[in-house]
Amino acid sequence: MKKRSLRAVLASGFITFTASTVGPVSINFAYSLEEIKAEKVITIAVPFGPKSSVPDPRARQNGWLSNKAGVSETLVGLDYKMEMFPRLAENYRNISPTQWEFTLRENVKFHDGSPLTASIVKDSFSKLNDKDHTAFNPRLTKLLDIKTITLKDDRTLVFETNKPNSAFIWSLTEPTASVIKEGSDKLPIVGTGPFVFVSAETEKNYHTKAFDEYWGGKPKLDGIVFDAIPDASVAALALKAGNVDLVTNYSEPDFAALENDNQGQRFSGATTRLFFYQVRTADGPLASKDLRQAISLGLDRDLIVEAALAGVGGDPAHSIFPGSMKSWINEGLKSPYDTKQALEILDKAGITDTNNDGIREIDGDNIVLKLRSYEGRLALKPTLEVTQALLSKLGLEVEISMGEFQANNDALKLGEIQMHLQAWGTAPQGDPDYFPSTLLDSEAGYNFSGYKNPELDALLEEGRGEFDYAKRKVIYDKIQEIIADDLPLIPVFHKSQVSVGNGKVKGYKIHPAETYLASTELDIEG
């Protein structure tokens, strides 16, 4: 397979691709080869591709890819210490419990050459709640909870929330909170980043070109190509064959082999990504808290880390937050491996094997747990397999399978499966509210567990309304305690990211939130 370059793709100025839902689509972006000048292009293998042919950065998970690609930007950013920094906003301040004032950076241009203004920022955020717009994002809308946006002048605006929301400023760092101007046929996605969107093919690739008028300086690269290769071993072969220059999510066993031989251009970094089981608590066998607790005790997390990550990137999870999040982790929590205690809990709860067939029962029915995960992260499948073996020691029958992420969520919501193994960044915004509010709040869109806990709901609301750090810490410590005791989700391990380049990649760093990649400094030797 010959390596594809941005020059080759764009030479004719006419791009044809296939969108999964609407059939073949052709868009004429009218870019000439002279305009592109794509002499220095880096091709990067990523596990997931765009969700559509014109993926609005404000919708679904599009913002993560767009932010990594350097196309879209947010008002506020997160640095490599997970601390906020001014991005498109030159400065910002909390002027009341419900009001936040932002002053925009001067001399910022959109990719169509027009200036960044407060009115465009307001228009961009207004689209989040428009069901008929490609930016529609009910999840982010709920997190931001914006009541009004008031313009003070061309560079100043005030966001007012419906309730006091201390997580608001952190939520603005999320990639889907991008500031995007309405596009055109020639330029369908108009951002402000160092790279301009050129084209995308659903679940396959994403192309950009450099934006020479970027407010942060001209990029060193002429363009970036993201290739979606879900299978990490296939991505490694593509790197070896010269079809890609960098694999962001490299196979852990292969990375371990490179480390042992001191070979390859290796990158590694701790992240906030948590591998966890979302558990169907509303009905079925795992409505039993005793059974959930026994399952958690039956997981040898050290063994899973060794088996799934080859010892090169991960730590057993005792809380939803990793140890690196010193500001928010409840360090008093532990997730021990204790088969004896697990068996005692089951016996005491009457979850026993009455017919001696080797499978424990609830109300006379054998317990059959259906566990599912998805492709795209190499460690998911072996984690499922080790879990199956470990839980069989407790007298539980476990069926495992791989599916599509959203289909798995739908199956969990319907009670067709009992546990969905997932990998999420628990603090992509640097704040502790995002993860529990998104998954465990009774009204949360991603609460496929059917979990309802009024005490947790009240604490989450209290945490969002509290602005004093010390008081918030007490609240989120309690939230972590409830999760660890009630187990509507079962943390397994926190993961580091390992990446491998072709020896020519420069200026690449792994961000703890995994939301940044492209920059003006990213480069590749000729």
Side-chain angles (χ1 to χ4, degrees):
M1 180 174 64
K2 185 178 179 181
K3 180 174 177 178
R4 293 170 294 163
S5 70
L6 193 59
R7 177 190 292 271
V9 174
L10 301 175
S12 65
F14 193 79
I15 303 163
T16 302
F17 50 85
T18 301
S20 60
T21 57
V22 296
V25 178
S26 297
I27 297 179
N28 186 357
F29 291 106
Y31 291 125
S32 70
L33 182 60
E34 289 71 24
E35 289 176 313
I36 298 297
K37 298 181 180 178
E39 297 173 356
K40 189 185 286 188
V41 177
I42 189 171
T43 302
I44 303 173
V46 293
F48 303 101
K51 300 304 178 185
S52 69
S53 56
V54 183
D56 192 309
R58 294 163 291 186
R60 300 179 69 183
Q61 303 303 311
N62 295 332
W64 269 261
L65 183 58
S66 180
N67 197 69
K68 287 181 179 180
V71 170
S72 56
E73 294 182 302
T74 50
L75 291 171
V76 186
L78 278 181
D79 65 20
Y80 283 78
K81 293 181 180 180
M82 294 295 285
E83 297 175 353
M84 284 188 289
F85 69 90
R87 205 174 182 194
L88 291 179
E90 181 178 82
N91 56 63
Y92 44 87
R93 62 192 182 108
N94 184 207
I95 57 178
S96 82
T98 59
Q99 292 179 307
W100 302 79
E101 182 180 275
F102 293 81
T103 301
L104 301 179
R105 190 180 295 276
E106 290 188 276
N107 302 318
V108 175
K109 290 185 178 181
F110 283 99
H111 295 152
D112 64 357
S114 61
L116 173 69
T117 64
S119 62
I120 295 178
V121 173
K122 178 179 179 179
D123 182 67
S124 180
F125 277 91
S126 71
K127 299 298 191 296
L128 294 174
N129 203 32
D130 184 348
K131 292 183 180 180
D132 297 322
H133 197 277
T134 57
F136 181 57
N137 190 330
R139 180 187 60 80
L140 182 60
T141 297
K142 185 176 186 297
L143 288 174
L144 294 174
D145 194 28
I146 297 171
K147 181 180 180 180
T148 61
I149 301 176
T150 303
L151 305 181
K152 296 185 72 173
D153 55 48
D154 283 348
R155 291 181 53 224
T156 312
L157 66 163
V158 175
F159 288 83
E160 182 177 1
T161 57
N162 287 298
K163 299 177 182 178
N165 182 3
S166 57
F168 176 80
I169 190 70
W170 295 93
S171 297
L172 286 180
T173 70
E174 179 176 313
T176 53
S178 302
V179 176
I180 302 296
K181 185 182 177 184
E182 290 300 286
S184 62
D185 288 343
K186 179 179 179 181
L187 196 60
I189 298 177
V190 187
T192 59
F195 292 90
V196 181
F197 173 78
V198 174
S199 70
E201 190 172 0
T202 305
E203 297 292 1
K204 291 185 178 181
N205 52 61
Y206 190 99
H207 296 254
T208 72
K209 72 183 185 75
F211 182 44
D212 292 345
E213 296 181 84
Y214 177 56
W215 62 267
K218 182 179 178 180
K220 292 182 178 179
L221 289 170
D222 293 304
I224 300 175
V225 176
F226 282 87
D227 264 344
I229 307 179
D231 190 321
S233 59
V234 174
L237 290 174
L239 178 66
K240 186 176 182 180
N243 294 311
V244 301
D245 303 301
L246 173 69
V247 177
T248 59
N249 294 75
Y250 205 75
S251 157
E252 284 82 15
D254 291 345
F255 190 90
L258 290 176
E259 280 208 326
N260 289 336
D261 297 334
N262 195 26
Q263 293 182 350
Q265 187 183 20
R266 306 185 307 275
F267 306 87
S268 65
T271 73
T272 67
R273 187 163 299 280
L274 173 71
F275 279 56
F276 67 97
Y277 285 102
Q278 189 174 20
V279 180
R280 182 66 186 173
T281 63
D283 46 45
L286 293 183
S288 166
K289 178 179 175 179
D290 293 308
L291 181 53
R292 299 197 300 269
Q293 290 180 329
I295 287 172
S296 183
L297 287 164
L299 294 180
D300 185 343
R301 290 167 172 81
D302 289 308
L303 174 64
I304 292 174
V305 167
E306 184 62 34
L309 301 176
V312 295
D315 298 293
H318 300 289
S319 169
I320 57 176
F321 301 127
S324 58
M325 283 189 68
K326 299 295 184 184
S327 297
W328 297 111
I329 187 172
N330 184 335
E331 295 183 344
L333 298 176
K334 300 296 178 185
S335 297
Y337 172 52
D338 193 332
T339 303
K340 181 180 178 181
Q341 185 182 355
L343 294 173
E344 288 175 353
I345 289 174
L346 293 173
D347 290 342
K348 186 176 180 179
I351 303 174
T352 58
D353 176 16
T354 62
N355 58 9
N356 298 314
D357 65 351
I359 307 299
R360 291 178 181 265
E361 305 147 24
I362 291 181
D363 297 330
D365 294 325
N366 280 2
I367 297 174
V368 180
L369 301 177
K370 295 182 179 180
L371 279 59
R372 193 179 294 173
S373 194
Y374 50 93
E375 302 292 346
R377 298 192 183 278
L378 188 65
L380 289 169
K381 187 174 182 180
T383 299
L384 268 188
E385 293 168 345
V386 177
T387 298
Q388 181 184 43
L390 289 169
L391 296 189
S392 69
K393 296 180 181 180
L394 303 182
L396 306 176
E397 184 174 345
V398 178
E399 299 176 357
I400 61 174
S401 61
M402 303 295 283
E404 189 271 330
F405 179 77
Q406 189 54 51
N408 295 348
N409 286 335
D410 294 340
L412 189 69
K413 185 176 182 180
L414 294 171
E416 296 172 353
I417 62 174
Q418 285 71 53
M419 296 168 65
H420 182 197
L421 176 63
Q422 305 174 52
W424 280 45
T426 58
Q429 305 161 344
D431 186 82
D433 179 70
Y434 163 79
F435 188 70
S437 284
T438 302
L439 282 160
L440 298 177
D441 187 290
S442 295
E443 303 301 321
Y446 279 79
N447 184 354
F448 303 117
S449 298
Y451 181 68
K452 295 185 182 299
N453 185 325
E455 182 184 7
L456 184 66
D457 289 346
L459 284 168
L460 288 170
E461 185 170 358
E462 184 181 356
R464 288 189 289 269
E466 180 56 65
F467 288 76
D468 180 87
Y469 164 73
K471 294 178 180 179
R472 289 193 85 208
K473 180 68 166 65
V474 172
I475 294 169
Y476 286 97
D477 276 355
K478 180 61 177 176
I479 288 171
Q480 292 172 73
E481 289 171 9
I482 291 174
I483 295 170
D485 177 65
D486 221 10
L487 294 168
L489 58 84
I490 301 176
V492 183
F493 59 82
H494 300 284
K495 189 181 179 300
S496 295
Q497 181 177 319
V498 293
S499 307
V500 177
N502 62 0
K504 300 179 180 180
V505 178
K506 300 170 66 176
Y508 171 69
K509 293 174 63 179
I510 294 172
H511 192 274
E514 303 174 77
T515 51
Y516 298 80
L517 195 163
S519 69
T520 56
E521 296 303 308
L522 184 64
D523 199 4
I524 188 164
E525 296 177 356

PDB file of all heavy atoms in Angstrom, residues 30-53:
ATOM      1  N   ALA A  30     -12.081  23.671  -3.840  1.00  0.00           N
ATOM      2  CA  ALA A  30     -11.412  24.657  -4.697  1.00  0.00           C
ATOM      3  C   ALA A  30     -10.017  25.042  -4.193  1.00  0.00           C
ATOM      4  O   ALA A  30      -9.622  26.189  -4.273  1.00  0.00           O
ATOM      5  CB  ALA A  30     -12.281  25.899  -4.843  1.00  0.00           C
ATOM      6  N   TYR A  31      -9.283  24.067  -3.649  1.00  0.00           N
ATOM      7  CA  TYR A  31      -7.910  24.325  -3.235  1.00  0.00           C
ATOM      8  C   TYR A  31      -6.973  23.877  -4.349  1.00  0.00           C
ATOM      9  O   TYR A  31      -7.022  22.734  -4.790  1.00  0.00           O
ATOM     10  CB  TYR A  31      -7.554  23.543  -1.968  1.00  0.00           C
ATOM     11  CG  TYR A  31      -8.265  24.019  -0.737  1.00  0.00           C
ATOM     12  CD1 TYR A  31      -9.009  23.130   0.023  1.00  0.00           C
ATOM     13  CD2 TYR A  31      -8.185  25.345  -0.330  1.00  0.00           C
ATOM     14  CE1 TYR A  31      -9.658  23.561   1.160  1.00  0.00           C
ATOM     15  CE2 TYR A  31      -8.831  25.778   0.803  1.00  0.00           C
ATOM     16  CZ  TYR A  31      -9.567  24.886   1.544  1.00  0.00           C
ATOM     17  OH  TYR A  31     -10.202  25.303   2.677  1.00  0.00           O
ATOM     18  N   SER A  32      -6.125  24.762  -4.798  1.00  0.00           N
ATOM     19  CA  SER A  32      -5.149  24.387  -5.810  1.00  0.00           C
ATOM     20  C   SER A  32      -3.902  23.842  -5.140  1.00  0.00           C
ATOM     21  O   SER A  32      -3.671  24.049  -3.955  1.00  0.00           O
ATOM     22  CB  SER A  32      -4.773  25.616  -6.644  1.00  0.00           C
ATOM     23  OG  SER A  32      -4.016  26.530  -5.861  1.00  0.00           O
ATOM     24  N   LEU A  33      -3.091  23.143  -5.904  1.00  0.00           N
ATOM     25  CA  LEU A  33      -1.847  22.592  -5.384  1.00  0.00           C
ATOM     26  C   LEU A  33      -0.933  23.704  -4.906  1.00  0.00           C
ATOM     27  O   LEU A  33      -0.230  23.572  -3.908  1.00  0.00           O
ATOM     28  CB  LEU A  33      -1.148  21.771  -6.476  1.00  0.00           C
ATOM     29  CG  LEU A  33       0.165  21.086  -6.076  1.00  0.00           C
ATOM     30  CD1 LEU A  33      -0.080  20.123  -4.920  1.00  0.00           C
ATOM     31  CD2 LEU A  33       0.773  20.356  -7.258  1.00  0.00           C
ATOM     32  N   GLU A  34      -0.962  24.846  -5.575  1.00  0.00           N
ATOM     33  CA  GLU A  34      -0.107  25.964  -5.187  1.00  0.00           C
ATOM     34  C   GLU A  34      -0.520  26.515  -3.825  1.00  0.00           C
ATOM     35  O   GLU A  34       0.311  26.930  -3.022  1.00  0.00           O
ATOM     36  CB  GLU A  34      -0.173  27.073  -6.245  1.00  0.00           C
ATOM     37  CG  GLU A  34       0.523  26.728  -7.561  1.00  0.00           C
ATOM     38  CD  GLU A  34      -0.228  25.675  -8.362  1.00  0.00           C
ATOM     39  OE1 GLU A  34      -1.455  25.544  -8.171  1.00  0.00           O
ATOM     40  OE2 GLU A  34       0.423  24.971  -9.164  1.00  0.00           O
ATOM     41  N   GLU A  35      -1.856  26.494  -3.547  1.00  0.00           N
ATOM     42  CA  GLU A  35      -2.331  26.994  -2.264  1.00  0.00           C
ATOM     43  C   GLU A  35      -1.951  26.047  -1.138  1.00  0.00           C
ATOM     44  O   GLU A  35      -1.619  26.467  -0.031  1.00  0.00           O
ATOM     45  CB  GLU A  35      -3.853  27.153  -2.297  1.00  0.00           C
ATOM     46  CG  GLU A  35      -4.338  28.308  -3.161  1.00  0.00           C
ATOM     47  CD  GLU A  35      -5.846  28.339  -3.225  1.00  0.00           C
ATOM     48  OE1 GLU A  35      -6.455  27.273  -3.454  1.00  0.00           O
ATOM     49  OE2 GLU A  35      -6.422  29.418  -3.052  1.00  0.00           O
ATOM     50  N   ILE A  36      -2.005  24.760  -1.395  1.00  0.00           N
ATOM     51  CA  ILE A  36      -1.741  23.773  -0.349  1.00  0.00           C
ATOM     52  C   ILE A  36      -0.260  23.723   0.019  1.00  0.00           C
ATOM     53  O   ILE A  36       0.113  23.764   1.184  1.00  0.00           O
ATOM     54  CB  ILE A  36      -2.191  22.365  -0.806  1.00  0.00           C
ATOM     55  CG1 ILE A  36      -3.697  22.353  -1.062  1.00  0.00           C
ATOM     56  CG2 ILE A  36      -1.843  21.333   0.246  1.00  0.00           C
ATOM     57  CD1 ILE A  36      -4.535  22.633   0.163  1.00  0.00           C
ATOM     58  N   LYS A  37       0.614  23.655  -0.986  1.00  0.00           N
ATOM     59  CA  LYS A  37       2.056  23.574  -0.763  1.00  0.00           C
ATOM     60  C   LYS A  37       2.398  22.541   0.308  1.00  0.00           C
ATOM     61  O   LYS A  37       3.164  22.790   1.231  1.00  0.00           O
ATOM     62  CB  LYS A  37       2.610  24.944  -0.361  1.00  0.00           C
ATOM     63  CG  LYS A  37       2.438  26.019  -1.425  1.00  0.00           C
ATOM     64  CD  LYS A  37       3.026  27.345  -0.981  1.00  0.00           C
ATOM     65  CE  LYS A  37       2.846  28.408  -2.054  1.00  0.00           C
ATOM     66  NZ  LYS A  37       3.375  29.723  -1.613  1.00  0.00           N
ATOM     67  N   ALA A  38       1.781  21.373   0.183  1.00  0.00           N
ATOM     68  CA  ALA A  38       1.919  20.344   1.207  1.00  0.00           C
ATOM     69  C   ALA A  38       3.206  19.566   1.036  1.00  0.00           C
ATOM     70  O   ALA A  38       3.213  18.426   0.633  1.00  0.00           O
ATOM     71  CB  ALA A  38       0.715  19.410   1.171  1.00  0.00           C
ATOM     72  N   GLU A  39       4.317  20.215   1.332  1.00  0.00           N
ATOM     73  CA  GLU A  39       5.617  19.566   1.176  1.00  0.00           C
ATOM     74  C   GLU A  39       6.043  18.829   2.438  1.00  0.00           C
ATOM     75  O   GLU A  39       6.875  17.950   2.390  1.00  0.00           O
ATOM     76  CB  GLU A  39       6.665  20.620   0.802  1.00  0.00           C
ATOM     77  CG  GLU A  39       6.388  21.286  -0.538  1.00  0.00           C
ATOM     78  CD  GLU A  39       7.336  22.425  -0.817  1.00  0.00           C
ATOM     79  OE1 GLU A  39       8.151  22.731   0.073  1.00  0.00           O
ATOM     80  OE2 GLU A  39       7.253  23.014  -1.907  1.00  0.00           O
ATOM     81  N   LYS A  40       5.468  19.230   3.555  1.00  0.00           N
ATOM     82  CA  LYS A  40       5.838  18.588   4.809  1.00  0.00           C
ATOM     83  C   LYS A  40       4.554  18.191   5.534  1.00  0.00           C
ATOM     84  O   LYS A  40       3.935  18.978   6.238  1.00  0.00           O
ATOM     85  CB  LYS A  40       6.671  19.535   5.673  1.00  0.00           C
ATOM     86  CG  LYS A  40       7.278  18.854   6.904  1.00  0.00           C
ATOM     87  CD  LYS A  40       8.005  19.839   7.800  1.00  0.00           C
ATOM     88  CE  LYS A  40       9.328  20.258   7.182  1.00  0.00           C
ATOM     89  NZ  LYS A  40      10.117  21.074   8.170  1.00  0.00           N
ATOM     90  N   VAL A  41       4.160  16.946   5.346  1.00  0.00           N
ATOM     91  CA  VAL A  41       2.902  16.436   5.887  1.00  0.00           C
ATOM     92  C   VAL A  41       3.193  15.244   6.782  1.00  0.00           C
ATOM     93  O   VAL A  41       3.975  14.359   6.421  1.00  0.00           O
ATOM     94  CB  VAL A  41       1.946  16.012   4.752  1.00  0.00           C
ATOM     95  CG1 VAL A  41       0.665  15.408   5.320  1.00  0.00           C
ATOM     96  CG2 VAL A  41       1.633  17.199   3.857  1.00  0.00           C
ATOM     97  N   ILE A  42       2.577  15.204   7.933  1.00  0.00           N
ATOM     98  CA  ILE A  42       2.731  14.069   8.838  1.00  0.00           C
ATOM     99  C   ILE A  42       1.446  13.251   8.821  1.00  0.00           C
ATOM    100  O   ILE A  42       0.344  13.805   8.812  1.00  0.00           O
ATOM    101  CB  ILE A  42       3.063  14.530  10.270  1.00  0.00           C
ATOM    102  CG1 ILE A  42       3.427  13.332  11.145  1.00  0.00           C
ATOM    103  CG2 ILE A  42       1.928  15.328  10.889  1.00  0.00           C
ATOM    104  CD1 ILE A  42       3.983  13.724  12.507  1.00  0.00           C
ATOM    105  N   THR A  43       1.587  11.930   8.753  1.00  0.00           N
ATOM    106  CA  THR A  43       0.444  11.026   8.777  1.00  0.00           C
ATOM    107  C   THR A  43       0.444  10.302  10.118  1.00  0.00           C
ATOM    108  O   THR A  43       1.428   9.667  10.486  1.00  0.00           O
ATOM    109  CB  THR A  43       0.502  10.019   7.619  1.00  0.00           C
ATOM    110  OG1 THR A  43       0.552  10.729   6.380  1.00  0.00           O
ATOM    111  CG2 THR A  43      -0.724   9.119   7.627  1.00  0.00           C
ATOM    112  N   ILE A  44      -0.656  10.414  10.825  1.00  0.00           N
ATOM    113  CA  ILE A  44      -0.746   9.912  12.194  1.00  0.00           C
ATOM    114  C   ILE A  44      -1.864   8.874  12.292  1.00  0.00           C
ATOM    115  O   ILE A  44      -3.008   9.136  11.898  1.00  0.00           O
ATOM    116  CB  ILE A  44      -1.016  11.065  13.180  1.00  0.00           C
ATOM    117  CG1 ILE A  44       0.089  12.123  13.063  1.00  0.00           C
ATOM    118  CG2 ILE A  44      -1.120  10.550  14.601  1.00  0.00           C
ATOM    119  CD1 ILE A  44      -0.183  13.381  13.878  1.00  0.00           C
ATOM    120  N   ALA A  45      -1.537   7.709  12.825  1.00  0.00           N
ATOM    121  CA  ALA A  45      -2.536   6.663  13.042  1.00  0.00           C
ATOM    122  C   ALA A  45      -3.211   6.896  14.388  1.00  0.00           C
ATOM    123  O   ALA A  45      -2.547   7.006  15.420  1.00  0.00           O
ATOM    124  CB  ALA A  45      -1.884   5.289  13.010  1.00  0.00           C
ATOM    125  N   VAL A  46      -4.537   6.973  14.365  1.00  0.00           N
ATOM    126  CA  VAL A  46      -5.334   7.153  15.582  1.00  0.00           C
ATOM    127  C   VAL A  46      -6.369   6.027  15.638  1.00  0.00           C
ATOM    128  O   VAL A  46      -6.737   5.458  14.605  1.00  0.00           O
ATOM    129  CB  VAL A  46      -6.030   8.527  15.591  1.00  0.00           C
ATOM    130  CG1 VAL A  46      -5.005   9.650  15.710  1.00  0.00           C
ATOM    131  CG2 VAL A  46      -6.881   8.723  14.336  1.00  0.00           C
ATOM    132  N   PRO A  47      -6.852   5.681  16.834  1.00  0.00           N
ATOM    133  CA  PRO A  47      -7.771   4.541  16.930  1.00  0.00           C
ATOM    134  C   PRO A  47      -9.175   4.815  16.420  1.00  0.00           C
ATOM    135  O   PRO A  47      -9.886   3.875  16.056  1.00  0.00           O
ATOM    136  CB  PRO A  47      -7.779   4.215  18.423  1.00  0.00           C
ATOM    137  CG  PRO A  47      -7.385   5.481  19.095  1.00  0.00           C
ATOM    138  CD  PRO A  47      -6.433   6.158  18.156  1.00  0.00           C
ATOM    139  N   PHE A  48      -9.590   6.078  16.412  1.00  0.00           N
ATOM    140  CA  PHE A  48     -10.955   6.401  16.001  1.00  0.00           C
ATOM    141  C   PHE A  48     -10.945   7.512  14.965  1.00  0.00           C
ATOM    142  O   PHE A  48     -10.134   8.433  15.045  1.00  0.00           O
ATOM    143  CB  PHE A  48     -11.796   6.832  17.201  1.00  0.00           C
ATOM    144  CG  PHE A  48     -11.854   5.813  18.298  1.00  0.00           C
ATOM    145  CD1 PHE A  48     -11.071   5.952  19.429  1.00  0.00           C
ATOM    146  CD2 PHE A  48     -12.672   4.702  18.182  1.00  0.00           C
ATOM    147  CE1 PHE A  48     -11.103   5.008  20.448  1.00  0.00           C
ATOM    148  CE2 PHE A  48     -12.715   3.746  19.187  1.00  0.00           C
ATOM    149  CZ  PHE A  48     -11.933   3.897  20.321  1.00  0.00           C
ATOM    150  N   GLY A  49     -11.873   7.418  14.009  1.00  0.00           N
ATOM    151  CA  GLY A  49     -11.957   8.419  12.955  1.00  0.00           C
ATOM    152  C   GLY A  49     -13.129   9.353  13.163  1.00  0.00           C
ATOM    153  O   GLY A  49     -13.870   9.260  14.147  1.00  0.00           O
ATOM    154  N   PRO A  50     -13.330  10.287  12.234  1.00  0.00           N
ATOM    155  CA  PRO A  50     -14.453  11.230  12.330  1.00  0.00           C
ATOM    156  C   PRO A  50     -15.790  10.517  12.209  1.00  0.00           C
ATOM    157  O   PRO A  50     -15.889   9.462  11.576  1.00  0.00           O
ATOM    158  CB  PRO A  50     -14.211  12.173  11.148  1.00  0.00           C
ATOM    159  CG  PRO A  50     -13.417  11.366  10.172  1.00  0.00           C
ATOM    160  CD  PRO A  50     -12.537  10.483  11.000  1.00  0.00           C
ATOM    161  N   LYS A  51     -16.818  11.109  12.807  1.00  0.00           N
ATOM    162  CA  LYS A  51     -18.142  10.487  12.819  1.00  0.00           C
ATOM    163  C   LYS A  51     -18.987  10.868  11.616  1.00  0.00           C
ATOM    164  O   LYS A  51     -20.083  10.323  11.428  1.00  0.00           O
ATOM    165  CB  LYS A  51     -18.877  10.853  14.107  1.00  0.00           C
ATOM    166  CG  LYS A  51     -18.161  10.388  15.368  1.00  0.00           C
ATOM    167  CD  LYS A  51     -17.910   8.891  15.357  1.00  0.00           C
ATOM    168  CE  LYS A  51     -17.164   8.438  16.596  1.00  0.00           C
ATOM    169  NZ  LYS A  51     -16.813   6.998  16.539  1.00  0.00           N
ATOM    170  N   SER A  52     -18.484  11.771  10.811  1.00  0.00           N
ATOM    171  CA  SER A  52     -19.190  12.133   9.583  1.00  0.00           C
ATOM    172  C   SER A  52     -18.191  12.767   8.633  1.00  0.00           C
ATOM    173  O   SER A  52     -17.029  12.981   8.986  1.00  0.00           O
ATOM    174  CB  SER A  52     -20.330  13.120   9.876  1.00  0.00           C
ATOM    175  OG  SER A  52     -19.808  14.374  10.274  1.00  0.00           O
ATOM    176  N   SER A  53     -18.643  13.066   7.427  1.00  0.00           N
ATOM    177  CA  SER A  53     -17.757  13.657   6.432  1.00  0.00           C
ATOM    178  C   SER A  53     -17.481  15.134   6.692  1.00  0.00           C
ATOM    179  O   SER A  53     -16.489  15.673   6.206  1.00  0.00           O
ATOM    180  CB  SER A  53     -18.366  13.479   5.032  1.00  0.00           C
ATOM    181  OG  SER A  53     -19.662  14.045   4.991  1.00  0.00           O
TER     182      SER A  53
END
